[in-house]
Amino acid sequence: MLRASLKGMAQRKLRLTLSTLAVLRGVMFVSGAFVLTDTLGRSFDRVFSDAFAYIDVQVAAKPTIELSEFEGESPPTPLPDEMVAQIAAVPGVAEAVGVVEVDGARLIGSDGKVVASFGPPRLGTNWLGETELVQLREGRGPAAPDEIAINAALAEAAGVQVGDRVGVLTREPRHDFTVVGIREYAGGRGTIGGVQEVAFTNEAAQQFMLGETGVWTAVTVTAAPGVEPEQLRDDLAAVIGDDYRVRTGEQLAAEQAEGLQEGLAFFNYILLGFAAVALFVGVFLILNTFSIIVAQRLRELALLRALGARRRQVIASVL
C-alpha cells in the first residue's frame, strides 16, 4: 500500500511541487513580514540608543505639532538664547550647550543633484566640536559662515571631499559652502542609521535652519560629577516650568523608538494584508488541486479497495 501511494505521488510530481510551493509562499510571506519589522525595530532601537547615549539631560520647548518618528520630524519650537544661561545656573549642571538640529539640510552632490534620502532625516546642525560620539575623520570644524562639516556617509554619497565647494538647500534658497571637515561617529561609523548631517557655525545654523539668530532647538545639559541624570532632570523641570520638555538621554531614546514602533506596526499590518491574500490564493489553489487529484484517482482507489485495501489505508494514502 505504501509503495502504491508513493508511485501515485511520483506520477503527479508537478502538481505536488506546485502545491508545496503554494504552502511555502504563504508561510514565508507571513514569517517574513514579522522578521522584517522586528529586525527594523531592533536596528532603530540601537540607532536611538547610540544617538542619545552621551546625553545626560535635554531641554526643549514643547512642539506645536506632535509627530511620531515614523511620520517625520516635528516642526521646531525655538528656545531663546537666555535659556542656556538660565539652565547653566541650576545647581548640578556642569555644562549647558545650545543645539540646533533641524531636518531639511539638503546637500547638492558633485553631479549637481541633491543627495537622496530614503527615510532618514537630513539634519542641519551647529558644530559643537569633537565629543565622545562625534570625531573628525578629516579636516576641521567650520569657523566661518560659508564653511560646513559633513558626515562621512554623506561625503561618500555626494562624491565630495575636504576643500570642495558645494551647494546646500535649507529653508532658504541655495547657498554655497566650503567643506572643511568630514566627521564620523564612535566606532568609525560614517553615519548613525543613515542620517545625513551638515554642520554649520552656530549663527549660520540658526539662520539657515531656524530663520533667525539667537535661538536653539534644544539645550543639552551635562550633569556635574555625582549628580544622577534623573535628579538633574527633576531639578531643571522645577526651575524652568511646564512649557518645556526635560528628558534624560534614556527617555529620549525610548520615546523615539516607541514612536517608530507604532509606525512599523502599521507597516506590518500592510504586509500581513498581502500575506493574507497570498494565503487565500494558496488555500484556493491547494483545495482545487487536491480535489482534482482525488477525482482523478477514484478508479485507482476503487481498484485498491477491490484488491483488499482497507478503508483506513485508502484514507491514509490520500492524506
Side-chain angles (χ1 to χ4, degrees):
M1 190 66 199
L2 178 60
R3 288 198 300 271
S5 299
L6 293 176
K7 286 183 177 180
M9 292 173 62
Q11 289 179 351
R12 300 172 179 85
K13 290 189 288 291
L14 180 60
R15 283 202 179 106
L16 181 63
T17 301
L18 293 177
S19 300
T20 304
L21 289 176
V23 175
L24 290 175
R25 182 182 61 181
V27 174
M28 288 170 63
F29 212 139
V30 174
S31 60
F34 284 114
V35 169
L36 174 63
T37 51
D38 287 349
T39 302
L40 286 174
R42 286 194 298 271
S43 298
F44 280 107
D45 285 346
R46 289 194 296 269
V47 167
F48 294 132
S49 297
D50 290 345
F52 299 111
Y54 302 98
I55 294 178
D56 289 334
V57 180
Q58 185 186 86
V59 178
K62 291 182 178 179
T64 54
I65 301 175
E66 290 281 359
L67 294 176
S68 69
E69 186 66 25
F70 188 77
E71 295 171 317
E73 296 290 323
S74 299
T77 302
L79 292 171
D81 194 41
E82 297 77 17
M83 284 293 299
V84 179
Q86 181 183 353
I87 292 170
V90 175
V93 174
E95 184 182 26
V97 179
V99 176
V100 175
E101 188 175 275
V102 183
D103 188 11
R106 293 153 293 164
L107 186 78
I108 299 174
S110 58
D111 59 357
K113 298 179 181 179
V114 173
V115 179
S117 174
F118 300 98
R122 294 178 281 195
L123 297 177
T125 66
N126 60 320
W127 174 250
L128 299 174
E130 294 187 88
T131 65
E132 292 180 274
L133 178 62
V134 178
Q135 295 94 36
L136 282 169
R137 180 177 292 183
E138 298 178 42
R140 58 175 176 82
D146 66 341
E147 295 178 345
I148 58 172
I150 60 178
N151 58 350
L154 177 57
E156 182 179 353
V160 300
Q161 55 188 353
V162 172
D164 287 350
R165 193 78 175 169
V166 298
V168 180
L169 301 176
T170 58
R171 61 183 298 153
E172 296 188 7
R174 170 176 173 159
H175 286 266
D176 290 333
F177 299 86
T178 301
V179 178
V180 296
I182 294 178
R183 51 193 277 184
E184 64 181 15
Y185 305 91
R189 293 169 293 175
T191 181
I192 296 180
V195 174
Q196 301 175 9
E197 285 197 60
V198 179
F200 307 87
T201 60
N202 287 343
E203 293 76 13
Q206 292 167 346
Q207 182 62 48
F208 292 124
M209 304 309 302
L210 295 173
E212 57 180 319
T213 58
V215 292
W216 312 96
T217 56
V219 178
T220 299
V221 184
T222 302
V227 178
E228 294 296 326
E230 292 76 12
Q231 181 60 49
L232 182 58
R233 174 199 61 197
D234 296 340
D235 293 343
L236 286 170
V239 171
I240 63 178
D242 297 332
D243 293 334
Y244 301 93
R245 286 182 170 177
V246 186
R247 293 164 292 182
T248 64
E250 289 185 0
Q251 284 181 304
L252 287 167
E255 288 180 11
Q256 298 285 354
E258 182 181 356
L260 187 69
Q261 290 290 354
E262 293 177 1
L264 288 177
F266 177 74
F267 181 58
N268 199 35
Y269 297 149
I270 296 176
L271 290 179
L272 288 177
F274 285 109
V277 173
L279 281 176
F280 174 77
V281 173
V283 168
F284 180 80
L285 172 64
I286 293 163
L287 178 62
N288 187 53
T289 299
F290 280 113
S291 297
I292 294 173
I293 290 175
V294 173
Q296 290 176 338
R297 292 185 62 194
L298 284 178
R299 283 181 149 185
E300 177 186 329
L301 297 176
L303 179 59
L304 289 172
R305 287 282 285 162
L307 292 174
R310 295 190 299 273
R311 177 180 297 179
R312 180 177 299 178
Q313 290 177 311
V314 172
I315 294 174
S317 72
V318 173
L319 294 176

